[in-house]
Amino acid sequence: MQSSFRFTLLVFCIFLASCSLSAQESPRVRNFLPDDYARQNQNWSLAQSPEGWIWAGNNGGLLEYDGARWQNWALPDRQTVRAVSIGPQGEIFCGGFAEFGFWKREADGQLRYRSLSHDVRSNRMGKEEIWHIFQAQGCVYFQSFSVIYKYDFQRITEIIPPEAVMFATVIDGRILIPVIGQGLYELMPDGTFGRVPGTEVLKDRIVQFLLPSGDGEIWVGTTNNGMYVLQNGACFPWQHPLNDEFKTLQLNKAIRLKDGGVAVGTILGGIFILSPDGVLRYRLNRSNGLQNNTVLALMEDRDGNLWAGLDRGIDFVQLRSPLAFFDDQAGKIGAVYTATQWRGKLYLGTNQGVFFRPVKLPKEQNNRAFQLVEGSQGQVWELKVYDDQLICGHNSGTFRIEGDVARKISGMTGGWSTIRMPSQPDVLLQGTYTGLACFRKDPAGNWFFSHKIAGFSEPVREIAFDENGNLWATHPNWGLFLLRISNDLGRVEELRTLTKADGLPSDFHLDLVSIREQLFVNTDICPVAPRLEADKKVWFDWDIRQRQPRHKWLEGTGEEYFVMDSMGLWLETSEKRVPLPLQLIPRYENVVLLPDSSYLFCLESGYALFDRRLLHNSPTLSRLPVGPVLRLVQSSDGMLHIPDSNLQFSYAQNHLKFVFALPFFERGPKFSWRLDGYSKNWSDWQSSAEKEFANLSEGRYTLRVRSDVSDTETTLVFRILPPWYRSRWAYLIYISLIAAGFWQLERYNRRRLDRQRRQLETEKEREILVLEVENKSRELSNAAFNLIRKNEALQGLKDELLASPNDARTLQKMVRHIDEHLEGDHDWEIFEESFNRVHDDFFKRLMQQYPDLTQGDLRLAAYLKMNLSSKEIAPLLNISVRGIENKRYRLRKKLGLSEEANLAEFIMAF
């Protein structure tokens, strides 16, 4: 019975905690489900590396998140990773059952695991599970519930505590360890343990965490006994209203935040965020964003935001964001269309009525939810305060809100937009479903419905006066009106309906907004400024600053205004452009400036508050000072490359995939890229954090990557080397081959020229020899002819002497002397010598083949070789022509010629 009562009380306390959130704004929580990171539900430990990546110990292994993608790795035997810690050189230390070690990123960008537990020589290691990793005094400590392993980056030392221990904590350089059943101990540098004085009260408590307070105090969180404070050797319960609640929710984890506050994680009640002075700022659980109420790990990242490892999933809590959210997940108040603060209360106009609660909830009313204003049920379009009276434009008319009651003051349906007459402060003009309504004050100063303005019955969603006093009004669906109302406000004297034909970019979905005291018309294309000339000609100035089509402006304060475009919602100030991760109600976008200078954004399931005081000092509002990080480049051969300034790829690797990331976690960033040398234009914004380029030609490229949350552009220069047949070495080979070819061609030409030269020289020598032979032949012929003439002359002289009657003796002597000349061999020897010079070896060859030839036969053959006739040969041989014929006959016989053969031709061809 008693246990049943305690259980009921526990459930009731949890119910109260969740109910209080129905009236409390909280930071935006981004959920990462198991499906997102593709591993199991439970996440036991969290850490952040110097690059900004988030690491988590999960039941399924080690998880990594770089802002764009989740990756995971497994321990050798796929153990659960209970603990994660980042080492001084970027090591990712991990621990699980019977295993601990670290991961290290290698040159190829991949993580490689090195086991340290294999170096442990103790039998205990096979039975221990590492639940906690901490670093102190230049060493890394791996802690199970019964053993601590100290790693000094050289060797591992085993430390045995007095009893089973919980999680150790390093405070001011001291290693404090809760020992179950004994209190707190300090681990000394020599490996011994010393009891912390005053902690005996904790010996029957299970201590889950220790927190330094900064003023010498240590907060001690126990599982079922709430929080204690250790100070000056004394340990006593934490004196705080939350402590009783903590006793029922099972404290599990806690961390001290950078701003001095504290985040406390529980098993049953989610997360409590306390300010530096101990005041509760937020309660986070399933009712306002967490996936699960069981908090297994907590970590504050370098930007001051909170990460929670849960029993199911991982959650990111945007603590440093100036935005706080009220999420009406149960749908009890509906979609918020308008809001205001009045008399210390926040009023919301929703599609279900008007709801209110105190702006600041006293502690005793912390569980108070929004209350419905009686009589306000239905669609609310507008809440505005005029002269300390709250006027409500409603679907069924217009109401004056008096505390928690709505009193109808007008039956004209659809009180869309109400403004004060510029020259008559006691008159309100309202646009409704059926035209324009006029409100005035009664003698008591209360607003009341005066009359409907005649001459105009179109539905009017928004109305506004320009600087010249012209009234502009928009139809809820189509068209823009320009009206002139009579001085007595009784009727519309002049009406013009303006459409696209009059210069508007679009006819549909128009509304009015005042930006920096200038009236603009939002259209489907872009905002335009209406102008009315003295001749009543209307024209429009297009927004020349439009960044992209289909954007609209929303009113802010002073120089500030809001822009909605395809990228989302942005706050424009005179100094910067701030992204806001919000989705307003389509076509009914509304941002309300509250009296405390905060902006309230109307959302479909609640609202968001923007603290303008954080506009200039919130890291979330500033564009990131760094651009996207190029993590890896994968080439077509599957190899991974770390991006650097000397990155180059072979032509066979010209299919490249670039992987980039950005440590921005408020939402998934979008990326755009441009590859100089491949494209001149930036790509469209895309959520994917990788880009592939196929079949890149050789050359130098510059990859440029930007994100929608950073003003910084990241660049990577790389080269695609030409194919081997177009490489530098190939060209050297080609040049060498060409040079060798030219050299061979030159050699060939030289040889050919040498042959031609030699041939020419030979031909020239031959010609010279021919000429010499011809000359010698002519000389020989001339000599022969001279002999012939001489012999003929002598023969004639001989004949004459014989016929002369002179002295016979004397004549006989002359005859003998002439015979000696005619028959002498001297002339023949001269002739033979000349003949041999012309016809080399003629006689020798002739004698070799015909050895029977006589000297006379040789002489006849020589004369025939010279192509002399028988008549010409006869004087040379000093015989008659008949004798020559006989000699020719005998020579033919010796040469073996037939009668048909020509002797002269045979001799000349020989």
Side-chain angles (χ1 to χ4, degrees):
M1 182 69 178
Q2 186 177 3
S3 62
S4 176
F5 173 76
R6 288 180 177 175
F7 178 77
T8 304
L9 178 62
L10 175 62
V11 173
F12 178 71
C13 291
I14 298 173
F15 173 75
L16 288 180
S18 63
C19 286
S20 66
L21 294 174
S22 63
Q24 182 194 36
E25 295 88 12
S26 59
R28 175 58 60 88
V29 179
R30 185 181 179 191
N31 304 133
F32 296 100
L33 283 70
D35 288 344
D36 295 327
Y37 54 75
R39 278 299 179 265
Q40 298 183 27
N41 291 346
Q42 292 178 319
N43 296 277
W44 299 97
S45 182
L46 293 164
Q48 186 174 30
S49 61
E51 304 92 342
W53 316 145
I54 303 300
W55 300 86
N58 180 269
N59 275 2
L62 177 67
L63 306 180
E64 177 196 15
Y65 182 55
D66 60 11
R69 72 185 55 76
W70 288 93
Q71 299 184 75
N72 50 74
W73 290 265
L75 288 177
D77 295 313
R78 300 189 175 276
Q79 298 98 321
T80 293
V81 177
R82 301 286 187 184
V84 177
S85 181
I86 305 301
Q89 301 299 323
E91 305 95 336
I92 300 96
F93 291 100
C94 296
F97 183 79
E99 179 63 46
F100 66 86
F102 64 90
W103 300 83
K104 187 76 172 179
R105 198 171 298 279
E106 302 294 340
D108 61 358
Q110 290 290 78
L111 286 181
R112 300 287 188 273
Y113 181 73
R114 179 192 169 188
S115 176
L116 297 176
S117 56
H118 290 171
D119 299 332
V120 177
R121 302 306 179 192
S122 172
N123 294 329
R124 293 187 184 90
M125 188 62 239
K127 302 177 183 179
E128 296 295 330
E129 187 165 17
I130 302 300
W131 284 84
H132 183 44
I133 301 174
F134 62 95
Q135 300 178 47
Q137 304 164 356
C139 298
V140 182
Y141 295 82
F142 300 87
Q143 178 191 341
S144 71
F145 288 133
S146 59
V147 183
I148 299 174
Y149 299 96
K150 178 182 176 181
Y151 175 55
D152 62 1
F153 296 92
Q154 297 295 328
R155 61 190 181 91
I156 298 173
T157 304
E158 187 179 66
I159 302 173
I160 306 300
E163 292 291 342
V165 295
M166 297 299 289
F167 303 114
T169 305
V170 181
I171 299 179
D172 297 330
R174 302 169 62 196
I175 302 176
L176 302 181
I177 303 178
V179 178
I180 297 176
Q182 297 189 29
L184 297 184
Y185 279 74
E186 180 179 354
L187 176 60
M188 301 302 179
D190 60 358
T192 62
F193 289 86
R195 186 188 298 272
V196 178
T199 62
E200 294 80 4
V201 68
L202 301 174
K203 65 181 181 179
D204 58 348
R205 309 284 192 261
I206 299 177
V207 177
Q208 292 293 133
F209 58 80
L210 301 173
L211 276 183
S213 66
D215 56 1
E217 292 183 350
I218 297 177
W219 291 7
V220 182
T222 67
T223 303
N224 297 312
N225 301 96
M227 197 101 72
Y228 286 79
V229 177
L230 177 62
Q231 185 179 32
N232 299 326
C235 188
F236 49 86
W238 186 44
Q239 301 301 315
H240 194 283
L242 283 175
N243 208 19
D244 290 337
E245 200 166 348
F246 284 166
K247 295 176 183 179
T248 66
L249 299 178
Q250 293 190 19
L251 298 181
N252 191 41
K253 297 291 181 181
I255 59 173
R256 179 70 65 177
L257 303 176
K258 295 176 182 177
D259 64 359
V262 174
V264 179
T266 70
I267 295 297
L268 301 175
I271 302 174
F272 292 74
I273 309 295
L274 308 181
S275 65
D277 55 3
V279 176
L280 178 65
R281 292 177 59 195
Y282 307 115
R283 291 184 178 182
L284 303 173
N285 55 30
R286 288 195 63 183
S287 67
N288 62 350
L290 292 187
Q291 300 177 73
N292 186 271
N293 286 341
T294 300
V295 180
L296 303 178
L298 288 174
M299 183 202 69
E300 185 183 22
D301 67 18
R302 63 187 185 185
D303 295 325
N305 295 303
L306 183 67
W307 291 80
L310 305 177
D311 193 58
R312 185 182 188 277
I314 298 175
D315 282 352
F316 170 71
V317 183
Q318 300 179 26
L319 287 183
R320 296 298 298 273
S321 172
L323 287 169
F325 294 82
F326 171 72
D327 288 320
D328 180 34
Q329 295 182 355
K332 293 183 177 179
I333 65 172
V336 178
Y337 284 79
T338 184
T340 191
Q341 285 183 9
W342 179 59
R343 295 183 180 179
K345 294 182 176 63
L346 174 64
Y347 287 85
L348 302 178
T350 77
N351 62 339
Q352 299 182 25
V354 178
F355 294 83
F356 74 98
R357 70 162 174 84
V359 174
K360 294 184 178 179
L361 296 175
K363 292 183 179 179
E364 63 274 10
Q365 297 181 352
N366 207 31
N367 296 328
R368 186 171 178 179
F370 278 103
Q371 300 179 40
L372 177 66
V373 173
E374 184 181 345
S376 67
Q377 293 88 337
Q379 175 69 57
V380 178
W381 295 117
E382 184 182 49
L383 288 173
K384 281 189 177 180
V385 177
Y386 292 102
D387 300 335
D388 199 33
Q389 297 178 51
L390 180 55
I391 304 300
C392 169
H394 197 280
N395 179 68
S396 60
T398 302
F399 296 83
R400 185 172 64 247
I401 305 298
E402 297 176 353
D404 57 358
V405 177
R407 303 191 184 281
K408 183 177 284 190
I409 60 175
S410 171
M412 289 187 65
T413 56
W416 250 319
S417 175
T418 306
I419 60 174
R420 196 189 294 267
M421 291 291 294
S423 58
Q424 303 179 53
D426 290 339
V427 177
L428 299 179
L429 196 65
Q430 184 184 66
T432 72
Y433 292 169
T434 57
L436 298 174
C438 182
F439 293 83
R440 298 181 184 272
K441 285 185 177 180
D442 62 17
N446 295 321
W447 293 105
F448 71 95
F449 174 71
S450 173
H451 61 278
K452 177 182 178 181
I453 297 178
F456 181 72
S457 59
E458 293 288 339
V460 176
R461 179 177 169 184
E462 290 181 330
I463 55 175
F465 287 97
D466 63 18
E467 66 273 13
N468 298 319
N470 303 303
L471 180 64
W472 299 84
T474 60
H475 190 280
N477 295 308
W478 178 88
L480 174 68
F481 306 112
L482 177 60
L483 306 97
R484 183 171 296 279
I485 304 175
S486 63
N487 293 333
D488 61 0
L489 304 180
R491 62 179 292 104
V492 173
E493 292 183 337
E494 185 176 345
L495 170 65
R496 295 183 62 183
T497 301
L498 304 173
T499 63
K500 194 172 182 179
D502 299 288
L504 278 171
S506 174
D507 295 337
F508 295 94
H509 305 156
L510 308 178
D511 55 55
L512 299 168
V513 60
S514 179
I515 303 295
R516 297 173 181 173
E517 299 183 355
Q518 171 67 54
L519 185 64
F520 285 88
V521 180
N522 280 319
T523 72
D524 271 351
I525 305 300
C526 66
V528 293
R531 294 288 186 269
L532 182 61
E533 295 294 338
D535 60 358
K536 297 183 180 180
K537 179 181 179 181
V538 179
W539 55 283
F540 298 91
D541 287 334
W542 285 60
D543 171 29
I544 60 174
R545 296 172 298 169
Q546 62 172 324
R547 296 169 186 82
Q548 46 190 316
R550 300 193 182 280
H551 74 278
K552 67 186 301 184
W553 291 351
L554 301 176
E555 186 175 354
T557 180
E559 294 294 310
E560 300 170 3
Y561 63 97
F562 298 89
V563 176
M564 290 186 60
D565 56 25
S566 60
M567 297 297 295
L569 180 66
W570 305 80
L571 172 61
E572 293 277 0
T573 72
S574 58
E575 300 175 352
K576 53 185 167 181
R577 190 169 189 245
V578 179
L580 298 171
L582 298 170
Q583 179 65 50
L584 305 183
I585 301 175
R587 288 200 57 205
Y588 295 95
E589 299 90 353
N590 192 16
V591 181
V592 179
L593 178 66
L594 300 179
D596 63 356
S597 294
S598 295
Y599 288 118
L600 186 146
F601 300 89
C602 299
L603 308 177
E604 290 186 327
S605 60
Y607 61 88
L609 289 177
F610 180 91
D611 189 349
R612 293 182 63 253
R613 294 172 297 180
L614 300 177
L615 186 59
H616 301 287
N617 58 9
S618 173
T620 305
L621 288 180
S622 303
R623 306 280 282 175
L624 290 182
V626 296
V629 178
L630 286 167
R631 300 199 61 184
L632 291 172
V633 183
Q634 183 176 9
S635 54
S636 52
D637 57 1
M639 293 186 62
L640 299 177
H641 310 264
I642 298 294
D644 58 40
S645 58
N646 297 316
L647 196 60
Q648 61 183 17
F649 303 93
S650 68
Y651 192 76
Q653 297 173 311
N654 67 349
H655 187 120
L656 301 179
K657 180 171 74 172
F658 296 86
V659 178
F660 32 88
L662 188 65
F664 178 82
F665 307 110
E666 281 76 6
R667 60 175 174 83
K670 294 184 178 180
F671 301 93
S672 178
W673 56 267
R674 188 182 79 197
L675 184 60
D676 293 347
Y678 179 84
S679 173
K680 297 181 179 179
N681 301 319
W682 286 93
S683 70
D684 295 334
W685 293 105
Q686 57 187 22
S687 299
S688 175
E690 58 185 42
K691 177 59 185 176
E692 291 190 49
F693 298 95
N695 300 322
L696 292 175
S697 58
E698 71 266 24
R700 184 176 182 272
Y701 296 89
T702 300
L703 177 66
R704 305 179 185 275
V705 183
R706 61 183 182 179
S707 75
D708 62 343
V709 295
S710 173
D711 292 321
T712 305
E713 178 184 299
T714 300
T715 61
L716 174 66
V717 178
F718 65 94
R719 290 186 65 236
I720 300 293
L721 299 177
W724 65 267
Y725 52 84
R726 284 205 297 270
S727 65
R728 183 179 300 176
W729 293 107
Y731 283 121
L732 289 176
I733 293 174
Y734 298 154
I735 293 173
S736 301
L737 291 175
I738 292 173
F742 277 115
W743 182 74
Q744 290 292 342
L745 182 62
E746 179 68 16
R747 285 190 61 190
Y748 170 76
N749 288 332
R750 286 183 179 180
R751 290 178 180 176
R752 184 173 59 84
L753 291 175
D754 288 342
R755 287 196 301 271
Q756 291 178 351
R757 180 177 55 78
R758 289 194 297 270
Q759 183 177 357
L760 291 174
E761 290 176 353
T762 302
E763 292 178 354
K764 186 175 181 180
E765 290 176 356
R766 186 178 299 165
E767 290 178 358
I768 293 174
L769 291 175
V770 169
L771 290 176
E772 290 179 354
V773 169
E774 290 179 352
N775 291 332
K776 290 180 179 179
S777 296
R778 284 194 295 273
E779 291 177 1
L780 185 60
S781 299
N782 291 333
F785 287 136
N786 288 332
L787 289 174
I788 292 171
R789 285 194 297 272
K790 182 193 75 168
N791 290 343
E792 287 179 349
L794 291 175
Q795 185 64 43
L797 181 59
K798 178 183 177 181
D799 293 339
E800 289 179 3
L801 288 175
L802 292 175
S804 173
N806 294 329
D807 180 63
R809 187 178 178 179
T810 301
L811 292 174
Q812 190 66 32
K813 185 179 180 179
M814 291 176 61
V815 169
R816 284 196 304 270
H817 183 69
I818 291 170
D819 287 337
E820 290 177 0
H821 283 282
L822 290 174
E823 297 174 359
D825 294 331
H826 179 69
D827 291 336
W828 168 250
E829 292 175 357
I830 295 174
F831 175 82
E832 184 179 13
E833 182 179 356
S834 298
F835 184 87
N836 284 329
R837 284 200 299 268
V838 176
H839 302 289
D840 187 30
D841 297 332
F842 176 75
F843 293 125
K844 185 185 294 185
R845 290 185 290 110
L846 195 62
M847 287 297 294
Q848 286 178 351
Q849 293 190 22
Y850 307 100
D852 296 336
L853 297 180
T854 63
Q855 193 68 20
D857 295 331
L858 293 177
R859 287 185 180 183
L860 175 62
Y863 294 146
L864 291 175
K865 182 72 173 178
M866 295 177 58
N867 200 21
L868 299 180
S869 62
S870 297
K871 186 178 180 180
E872 293 172 333
I873 296 173
L876 294 175
L877 297 180
N878 196 20
I879 59 177
S880 64
V881 174
R882 180 69 180 173
I884 293 301
E885 292 297 332
N886 292 331
K887 280 183 171 293
R888 288 172 68 105
Y889 177 78
R890 288 192 295 271
L891 181 60
R892 179 189 299 272
K893 289 292 186 179
K894 291 180 179 182
L895 295 177
L897 298 178
S898 63
E899 293 182 358
E900 293 81 9
N902 189 307
L903 176 63
E905 290 180 355
F906 175 80
I907 294 299
M908 290 180 66
F910 188 82

